[in-house]
Every structure is written in C-alpha cells, then in structure tokens.
Amino acid sequence: MFKNFLKISWRSIRKNKLYSVVNIAGLATGLSACILIGLYCWNELSYDKFNSNAGRIVRVTMEYSDAGTVNKTAVTGTKVGPQFKRTFPQVEAFTRIIRYPRVIANGTKVFDEKNVLYADADFFHLFSFKLLQGNPAAVLAEPYKIVLSQSAAKKYFGNDNPVGKSLRINDLQDYEVTGIVADAPLNSQVKYDMIASFSSLPFAKTEQWWSANYITYLLLHDGQQLSGFQQQLNQYMQTVNKQELHSQGNDYLAYNLEPLTRVHLYSPLDGLEPNGNITYIYVLLIIAALILLIACVNYTNLATAQSAGRTTEIGIRKVMGAQRGQLFRQFIGESFMLTLLAAVLSIGISMLVLPFFNSVAGQSFTGNMLLRPALLLGLLLLSLLVGLLAGSYPAILLSNAGLVSILKSGLRVSSAGGGLRKSLIVFQFVISVFLIISTVIVVKQISYIQHKNLGYNREQVLVLPVDYKMKAGYEGLKKAIAMNPGVVSVTGAYEDPTFIEWGDGIKANNGKETKSLSVTAIPVDLDFIKTMGMHLVAGDDFTAADFLLQDTAHDFANYRSAYILNETAARQMGWTPQTAVGQVIERGVPGTVKAVVQDFHFSSLHNKIGPLVMFLDTSMVRHMFVKISNRNIPATLKALENTWKERVAYRPFSYHFLDDDFNALYKQEQRTASLFELFSGLAITLACLGLFALAAFTTLQRTKEIGIRKVLGAGIGSIVLLVTKEFLVLVLIAILVASPLAWIAGFKWLSDFAYRTNIGWWIFAGAGLLAILIALLTVSYHAIRASLANPVKSLRAE
C-alpha cells in the first residue's frame, strides 16, 4: 500500500510540473530562510551558555548620580572585584577585564593587535575557554604573563610550541607565553586574540571605586542567590557612600548585577563588544515564520486550484472502493513528499548562500553548522509540520468529494475554494507590503543617520594610535605629519568625537546660585575644533598660551585650565553662549570658559546631546587625528606611512578612518536593514511565485470564456483587464491592511532614537504602487498570452 502511495504521488508530481516546481522551490526557499534565520537567532540566544558556570556568573555594572544626573555604564573601578570578594561570602571569585590595543613583536614579526585582553588570575576559573596548554590557575597568576589563542600562536610561532617563549609588548616589556587557549566561540561576549595578566598593569595594585575602565565579572557560589545578593549590595553601597565616598545630597554610587547569559540580548550597556537586541531576534523569527507561511499559502492555493484537474482520478478510485481515509492519506502523503524534497533542497540552498548571508549578518558561520544533528532533526520536524499545515485543507477537500457529484458534474472545488484562495493571496501580500514598508523605514533611518549634520566633519579624517612610548616624540611626529602637502591639519584627543565616554562634573556660580552639572568630558590637543570642522558660536579656540596656565609647581597650587563648553552645557548652567565666555568653572581645578562650541553628536543618535566640556591635556592623548585633502589620497597615505616608519619604527603604520568608528555605532541597525532588505525581497518573490502559478491555472480554467469573448469582439486590453482585475483588487486590500500595521511597527522602532527620520505618506504610496506593479507584471504574462491565443483552438478543445 505504501509503495502504491509513493508511485501515485511521484506520478502526480511529474504530471503537474509547474505546480510541483513552484511548490518545491517555494517551500525550499522558505525553509532555507528559516534555516539561516534560525542559525543566526540560535547563535544570539545561546550567547555565553557554553560556560559551565554560566548560571553563576554575573557582570557588575556601575550606576552613579552626579549633580542630579543619573549615569549608567558597564565599566567599574579596580576596587569592585576584590572588595566584593572580601566582603560578601556569596562571591567565590572575580575577574576584571580591559581591552588594550598592543604592538606585539616576535623578532621580525610585528603586528598591531586590537584584541589583547588583560584579565585577573581567575579568568579561566570563571569562563570555560578550553586551555590547550598551561595550568588554568597559574597562567595569569604573575605579572608579564600572556596566553595566546590558537590563531595567535600560529601567527607568531608557526608550528613551534610557544609556551616558555617571550613576546615583546609595545617595545617596552617582554611577556612570557604561559599557555595556549582555543579561539573564543562566536557566541561569546568575551573574545580575544591574547590574554595578559592583569597584574602587569601599573595601576593593578591600586584599588579605586572611580576611574572606571574595567569590565568586572563575579562568580557566585550559587546563582540562585542573585536577588538577595543584590539587596545586600545595595545596602553595603549606601554605607560606602556615607562613610567612604562622603556623597552629598542626591549623589550616589551603586552597582547592579546582570546574569551573564542575559547581558548580550537584554542589557542596554555595551561591554567588551556591542550587545545584540532581543527585539531584533523576535522580529527575525517572525519574519522567518511569515516567509514560511507564504510558502505554505502557495501550496494550499495551488493544491486547491489544481484539484479540479483530478476529477477522473478521484472518481475512479472511489468507484474502485477507496475510502475517505485512504484518499486523505494519499493526498497528505503527496504533501509530505513535496515538503521533504524541499527540505533536502533547502540545505543545499543554505550552503550556497551562507557566505552571502555571513556578509549581510556580520557573522562567520560555517557549512558544518548546517549539518548539526539538532538542526537536521529540527528541519525534519519543521518539514513535517509544514507538510501537515499546507496539505491538510487540500487533502480534506479532495477526500471529502462525493462520488455522485463527481460522476454528475465533476469536482467543482475551484469556485468553492475561491474565497479561501483569495484570502490567502491577500494574506501573502499583507506580509509582503508590511515588510516592504518596514524595510523602507529602516533604510530611511540609516540614511538619515549617515547624512545627518553631526556638528563635525568626519570625512577624510585618519585616526592613528598614540601609546605611552610615543608620548616623548608626540609633538615632533605631529609636526612632521603636518608638513605633508596632503595634510590639512593634525590634532589629538583622549577619545574620538563619535563616542565620548569620559564622565565628569563641573560647578560654577551662574550669578544666582552655585550650580553643579554632570558632564561628558574630553581632553584634547590644539586644533581639535579646526580638524573636526566644528563651529564656535562664541569665544576663541585654544591656543599655545593656554598651556602656560598649567603650572604644576607647588603641588599644583597655581594650576589653572581653559575650557570649551558645548551649547547644552552652557544652557544648563544658566548662560547664553556669549555670557558663558569668561566665566570661571571648576572641574577639579578652576579655569575660564574660553569658548562655546556648537552642539555636536558625541554618542549614538539613540541619545540626546548632553552637556560636554573640552580641556587641554596632551598627556591624555590616545588618538591622533589627521585631516587629509581629497586629492591624491594614495600618495598622501604613502607619505604618512614613510613619516611614521621614520619616527615610530617599532610599530606598524595602522590607521582607520573616523567614518569607520561612526558606522560601528550603528552596526546592529545596518545589519537589521540588510536582513530586512534580503528577507522582504524573498517574501515578495515567494508571493509572486505563487501568484504566477495561480494566475496560470486561473487563466487555463477560463480558456473557454476568453475564447467566447474574443469571438464576440473583445480586444487584448479588455481580456488583460478581465484576468488581472481580480488579483489587483486583492493586492489593494492587502495594501490597506498592511499599511497601518507597518506604521505602528515603524513608529515603535523609531521611538528608540532621540533623533529620527519622519514616516512620510510617500513610503506607503510607493510600497503600494510597487506591490501593484509587481502583481500586475506577474499576472499580465498569462493574461496577454491568453488574449493572443487563437479562440478557435480553445473552443475546439472545449
């Protein structure tokens, strides 16, 4: 019996080639989308769960109020880890982590490494990174020890065993290689090329609540203690605020605990890498389900429409004694066969498009991940579910047909199922139009971000690293670079203007009261305003004379500073830009406001522009910014490289453009836009594929009608309108349903940005016209073909 079912199913698939190809291709495409989206979402949802201690590890985040402004950050001071371990019995171990770019050398092999971590000795006790060589308890226990990833070990030592050998760091200190660790998994928030001992840092022995630069993780004895531990921690910090920090008024310092496995998708605070967003995961899963639903709708639509062609088969089988259950199993079996064929094809499609998907999603998935038993089992179960959902209605419809009705007038399911087919077409295009509008909104916001006036010019600004060893020759290097004819100006700063994190505070008397203000601060060099193309609305830029105010004699008793405020800081202090100039403020040391700079965006557009203060301090410079002209850029870069090699011989010439830092702030949004573009295009393609096949069948069913109309004098235009009108009405209904839904979704997504684009009416009009045009082109092929056919042949065939 089963063999007979297979034969009949295969014959049916071969007989109805268009129907079979459309369904297998549609289902395979839908399943491929589910596989790729599922792989991406699985990676995101499984973040850090590979750690055996994942349920007991928490990340400590810092919250503080300064002058009434509450700030939250993922970094802490050096004191948090060791003090909490000494104070709370719930803490078993801790590790502090900071990432520092370093120049690593092994003889003539010299590389500028961006991903070097410094971590405490218990790093390998907390995290389950596989240590291939070395003792986990000892590899980071002493200063100037370093553990290499497998890739780094291969890079610097080839096939030799590096353990016991040394690497030169920043041409200042030799570090002994004490171990080799497997490369970090993709789904880890802690990624590394090298891990050096935290005790190697000069300030490692100094414990401070402030000077927050470190990511701190705690290992608890029991993960279930988290809630009670947080309460104890809050009470403890209240005591610290009063007795140790002497906090005044509403100012306070507090710490919050985040479970390790919730950091990546649920925390608003980025740490060692940008976090994901659980909302985007839900959106992608919904998109995958919608795409698969479109494929299922195609199957159901075509199966019910095509069922009228199986009148003879069903009638004969019923006359021969076939029962309703046997017929149902036959037709649902055909559905399962088609779906399983599509599932096999979907794996091949996924393999082929995986490199492209990686480039869009910013991932490094491999083909082996698609062959995991769990994924294959999930695909099989999903295929069976799809086969059941997509094939149930056609199977019930065909198996329930009465014998008398079939023998008398044939199987008239075409009109009976018309309402369902129309509803399913509307459903398909609702999904497609919704995705088109949502994609346009996301892309429009990304374009808005990229073209918004930020208050500075990030075009053609090179960012060069400045380390401790370079400080002595910093001024000479700057002058040498400035002499290059392709260089417009040179400056330096502690951070680049795309994302400034330094939290600080100022206070001053504004004529009415002494006012304190929590601000963002940035130490800069001369010409920072000029190089960044910022605009001063009042006052004058820093000059070399301002350095003379920085008198370090007599324990800094006469030390003064010069400050530049942004418009927001001046306004919140109660001044206009003009009245702010000349005011005396204190930021640890007193100083005069020299100028007010026009507000510029120094963080993501998710946040409003806050108060900011600039001050001169070349000792804090970590980045050099070189503004170059747009003429003969390759020659300018080559000249800069030569200058660099002459003056900074120990480290490679490594640069990036300021644009890269800006774009990195919106990497998640850019990936979301790319994924939306990809999958909305896929959805509309699948919808059109089903519409194309269904229009072919509908046109075939109306062959006699079209022939009669042509004999009576109907022209090509009226025939095309006859065939396309019904489908276009359905698409219009879909547009009316999808538009408000897309507006709600788009408005909610945009509300996460403090600065955002508007949702214009033209987005909905354009998406609607695009959907109508696509549907018209899809259906018109069959309509025009039918209108050009010889009516004599169609009527003779009838």
Side-chain angles (χ1 to χ4, degrees):
M1 181 64 74
F2 180 72
K3 184 177 180 182
N4 184 53
F5 279 172
L6 285 178
K7 283 184 178 180
I8 295 174
S9 298
W10 182 246
R11 286 173 186 167
S12 176
I13 291 172
R14 292 182 61 189
K15 179 181 178 182
N16 303 286
K17 291 184 176 63
L18 176 63
Y19 157 79
S20 301
V21 168
V22 167
N23 273 301
I24 292 174
L27 289 172
T29 305
L31 288 171
S32 297
C34 287
I35 290 172
L36 295 174
I37 291 176
L39 187 62
Y40 179 86
C41 292
W42 169 84
N43 182 70
E44 293 289 294
L45 292 168
S46 65
Y47 244 73
D48 300 304
K49 292 180 180 177
F50 66 89
N51 290 289
S52 58
N53 294 326
R56 298 195 290 135
I57 301 175
V58 295
R59 186 180 75 168
V60 185
T61 64
M62 181 176 171
E63 178 182 328
Y64 63 95
S65 175
D66 183 17
T69 302
V70 176
N71 301 278
K72 295 182 179 181
T73 178
V75 293
T76 71
T78 51
K79 190 169 185 175
V80 172
Q83 182 66 13
F84 286 2
K85 186 176 186 301
R86 289 191 294 262
T87 306
F88 299 102
Q90 294 96 324
V91 179
E92 178 180 325
F94 71 90
T95 189
R96 297 161 293 182
I97 301 175
I98 186 170
R99 177 185 286 111
Y100 275 128
R102 289 289 186 256
V103 176
I104 311 294
N106 178 28
T108 58
K109 293 182 179 180
V110 182
F111 299 96
D112 194 351
E113 299 287 355
K114 306 297 184 186
N115 202 19
V116 178
L117 303 184
Y118 283 77
D120 282 299
D122 277 335
F123 178 85
F124 288 104
H125 179 44
L126 269 75
F127 300 108
S128 301
F129 299 115
K130 188 176 180 181
L131 200 61
L132 305 177
Q133 291 189 52
N135 181 354
V139 287
L140 299 175
E142 298 177 7
Y144 311 121
K145 307 297 180 184
I146 195 166
V147 176
L148 308 184
S149 67
Q150 265 184 300
S151 299
K154 185 78 173 176
K155 180 178 178 179
Y156 285 90
F157 294 96
N159 295 323
D160 294 340
N161 183 5
V163 175
K165 298 179 181 178
S166 296
L167 289 174
R168 187 79 171 169
I169 310 295
N170 278 6
D171 200 35
L172 292 172
Q173 179 68 48
D174 289 329
Y175 281 61
E176 180 188 354
V177 178
T178 53
I180 300 176
V181 62
D183 292 347
L186 291 175
N187 57 348
S188 172
Q189 63 182 271
V190 181
K191 294 185 175 72
Y192 49 77
D193 291 317
M194 303 176 180
I195 309 160
S197 52
F198 194 84
S199 57
S200 310
L201 299 172
F203 38 77
K205 294 181 180 180
T206 304
E207 294 185 4
Q208 294 183 335
W209 290 115
W210 299 103
S211 300
N213 294 296
Y214 315 95
I215 305 292
T216 301
Y217 296 94
L218 306 179
L219 177 64
L220 307 183
H221 286 288
D222 184 356
Q224 302 301 318
Q225 299 174 333
L226 182 57
S227 178
F229 180 31
Q230 180 69 68
Q231 294 178 5
Q232 291 183 40
L233 181 55
N234 293 341
Q235 294 172 359
Y236 172 74
M237 288 309 299
Q238 289 177 6
T239 303
V240 170
N241 278 292
K242 290 179 182 178
Q243 299 181 0
E244 189 173 343
L245 300 177
H246 307 293
S247 300
Q248 301 293 321
N250 294 324
D251 293 350
Y252 66 86
L253 174 64
Y255 294 99
N256 299 308
L257 306 176
E258 297 179 333
L260 178 71
T261 53
R262 290 185 63 84
V263 169
H264 180 67
L265 290 178
Y266 296 91
S267 176
L269 304 174
D270 291 339
L272 292 170
E273 67 172 18
N275 289 332
N277 190 320
I278 189 63
T279 301
Y280 293 154
I281 300 302
Y282 291 147
V283 169
L284 286 174
L285 289 174
I286 290 171
I287 289 175
L290 292 178
I291 288 173
L292 196 58
L293 272 175
I294 290 177
C296 292
V297 165
N298 279 348
Y299 183 96
T300 303
N301 250 340
L302 292 175
T304 53
Q306 188 262 349
S307 58
R310 305 187 73 168
T311 301
T312 305
E313 175 192 347
I314 296 170
I316 292 174
R317 294 188 67 185
K318 280 184 173 284
V319 168
M320 299 296 293
Q323 300 298 312
R324 181 182 299 176
Q326 290 175 310
L327 289 173
F328 178 83
R329 288 193 294 274
Q330 172 64 48
F331 296 126
I332 201 71
E334 291 180 15
S335 175
F336 284 140
M337 178 177 285
L338 274 171
T339 309
L340 290 174
L341 286 172
V344 173
L345 183 60
S346 70
I347 296 175
I349 293 174
S350 300
M351 291 278 192
L352 288 174
V353 302
L354 189 60
F356 171 71
F357 181 76
N358 280 336
S359 66
V360 171
Q363 298 293 335
S364 303
F365 299 133
T366 62
N368 291 335
M369 294 181 177
L370 299 175
L371 301 177
R372 290 174 175 170
L375 189 145
L376 294 176
L377 178 61
L379 178 62
L380 176 61
L381 295 175
L382 181 62
S383 302
L384 295 175
L385 178 63
V386 168
L388 184 64
L389 292 175
S392 291
Y393 177 78
I396 292 171
L397 190 67
L398 293 170
S399 61
N400 281 349
L403 177 59
V404 175
S405 175
I406 293 174
L407 295 176
K408 186 177 180 180
S409 55
L411 184 62
R412 297 184 179 274
V413 296
S414 182
S415 60
L420 175 68
R421 292 200 303 279
K422 290 176 181 179
S423 299
L424 293 178
I425 290 173
V426 171
F427 178 74
Q428 283 184 312
F429 274 88
V430 165
I431 295 172
S432 300
V433 173
F434 176 86
L435 289 176
I436 290 172
I437 295 172
S438 300
T439 300
V440 173
I441 292 172
V442 173
V443 171
K444 191 169 183 282
Q445 175 64 12
I446 296 299
S447 177
Y448 173 84
I449 290 169
Q450 291 173 336
H451 296 93
K452 189 179 188 307
N453 182 5
L454 300 174
Y456 62 91
N457 187 352
R458 66 181 192 272
E459 303 294 329
Q460 285 154 235
V461 177
L462 267 69
V463 184
L464 299 171
V466 177
D467 60 39
Y468 180 79
K469 188 174 181 179
M470 292 171 59
K471 292 295 176 68
Y474 169 74
E475 289 297 333
L477 175 64
K478 201 172 76 164
K479 290 177 182 177
I481 288 175
M483 291 175 64
N484 189 296
V487 172
V488 177
S489 62
V490 188
T491 189
Y494 180 74
E495 297 175 281
D496 73 52
T498 62
F499 194 67
I500 304 173
E501 293 185 281
W502 182 314
D504 216 317
I506 61 174
K507 62 180 180 179
N509 191 305
N510 61 9
K512 299 178 181 179
E513 60 178 344
T514 298
K515 188 175 180 64
S516 297
L517 184 65
S518 179
V519 299
T520 301
I522 179 171
V524 300
D525 194 2
L526 297 175
D527 296 326
F528 184 78
I529 300 287
K530 172 186 172 183
T531 303
M532 295 303 168
M534 296 174 179
H535 175 62
L536 292 177
V537 294
D540 299 310
D541 199 357
F542 294 125
T543 65
D546 293 318
F547 283 116
L548 301 177
L549 300 173
Q550 299 175 357
D551 184 0
T552 58
H554 308 293
D555 293 328
F556 295 82
N558 298 315
Y559 191 97
R560 296 292 182 270
S561 187
Y563 299 109
I564 292 179
L565 304 181
N566 71 346
E567 291 176 292
T568 298
R571 183 172 59 252
Q572 292 188 11
M573 289 299 292
W575 302 318
T576 66
Q578 288 71 28
T579 59
V581 176
Q583 298 286 345
V584 176
I585 64 173
E586 284 198 28
R587 191 204 62 84
V589 295
T592 303
V593 177
K594 283 208 67 177
V596 175
V597 67
Q598 184 182 65
D599 278 344
F600 65 92
H601 292 274
F602 54 84
S603 66
S604 165
L605 266 67
H606 287 279
N607 308 313
K608 287 187 176 181
I609 296 174
L612 176 133
V613 59
M614 300 179 188
F615 59 96
L616 281 176
D617 191 342
T618 55
S619 69
M620 300 292 292
V621 167
R622 297 197 306 179
H623 306 284
M624 184 181 290
F625 303 98
V626 183
K627 179 79 172 181
I628 62 175
S629 70
N630 57 5
R631 290 175 294 183
N632 204 356
I633 293 176
T636 300
L637 291 176
K638 185 63 179 176
L640 290 175
E641 183 178 7
N642 292 335
T643 301
W644 185 271
K645 287 180 178 179
E646 290 173 4
R647 294 180 173 269
V648 194
Y650 72 94
R651 69 178 302 159
F653 178 64
S654 177
Y655 69 89
H656 66 272
F657 284 92
L658 192 59
D659 255 343
D660 298 333
D661 293 330
F662 176 79
N663 292 331
L665 292 177
Y666 308 99
K667 190 175 293 184
Q668 186 68 43
E669 285 78 11
Q670 289 169 342
R671 288 175 182 172
T672 301
S674 299
L675 290 172
F676 261 68
E677 290 174 4
L678 174 63
F679 292 116
S680 62
L682 185 59
I684 195 73
T685 301
L686 284 177
C688 290
L689 190 65
L691 189 61
F692 182 83
L694 191 58
F697 185 83
T698 302
T699 306
L700 182 65
Q701 292 291 89
R702 304 180 73 170
T703 301
K704 182 178 179 181
E705 177 189 352
I706 292 170
I708 293 173
R709 286 178 179 273
K710 290 194 68 176
V711 169
L712 294 175
I716 294 177
S718 62
I719 298 297
V720 171
L721 181 62
L722 172 72
V723 177
T724 59
K725 179 175 64 176
E726 179 183 355
F727 292 106
L728 292 181
V729 169
L730 298 178
V731 174
L732 284 172
I733 295 172
I735 293 169
L736 293 176
V737 174
S739 294
L741 296 176
W743 183 88
I744 293 170
F747 181 81
K748 187 173 182 180
W749 182 74
L750 287 174
S751 64
D752 192 40
F753 292 85
Y755 303 89
R756 51 186 175 267
T757 187
N758 63 310
I759 305 177
W761 63 268
W762 62 268
I763 296 176
F764 303 93
L769 288 174
L770 178 62
I772 291 171
L773 180 62
I774 291 172
L776 187 62
L777 292 174
T778 303
V779 177
S780 292
Y781 170 79
H782 297 295
I784 294 171
R785 187 179 177 187
S787 67
L788 294 176
N790 188 338
V792 176
K793 290 184 179 180
S794 60
L795 293 174
R796 182 183 297 167
E798 288 288 332

